[in-house]
Amino acid sequence: VCSDIAHLLPINEISHKAGDLALLETLSRLENAAGEEDIVFRIGGDEFVILTNRKEIEYASGLAEQIRSKNGQTFIFEDKQIPLHLHVAVVKFEGDMIRYKDLFQQLHRTIDGSKEG
């Protein structure tokens, strides 16, 4: 499950501290959705991943929907309620070994594709 923050630039224009809080809130949303065996990590500026060993695409789709259900919820920065929206997409990897470069590129393609819809 891959995700990035929609419209991070306007949040950073409020303050870079607000942008940092948006990153932390994103991480919190992903960690709350992830199962105990899943791994949550940041792959870039505002891009995050939940990596799971589960084979059922429905599992990952459920995680993605749980994350999407929080879109529009706010976090607080200096008495301001700032809404946070995440682009979320699911991608399945096949094979025994995942190379970081391949993972990073595929996740970016998937995230970018989710923005078009």
Side-chain angles (χ1 to χ4, degrees), residues 31-75:
E31 286 178 333
N32 287 334
E36 284 188 29
E37 300 293 319
D38 300 335
I39 300 169
V40 179
F41 58 99
R42 184 176 173 192
I43 63 168
D46 67 338
E47 298 96 9
F48 294 83
V49 170
I50 299 174
L51 189 60
T52 182
N53 199 31
R54 299 280 299 265
K55 305 230 183 274
E56 310 85 22
I57 197 77
E58 295 82 13
Y59 176 77
S61 296
L63 295 178
E65 188 51 43
Q66 187 176 345
I67 296 162
R68 277 190 211 100
S69 74
K70 306 292 185 199
N71 276 347
Q73 290 185 4
T74 61
F75 64 94

Side-chain angles (χ1 to χ4, degrees), residues 89-101:
V90 173
V91 62
K92 185 174 183 176
F93 291 93
E94 301 290 341
D96 295 333
M97 188 167 94
I98 300 174
R99 297 182 194 278
Y100 181 78
K101 177 183 170 190

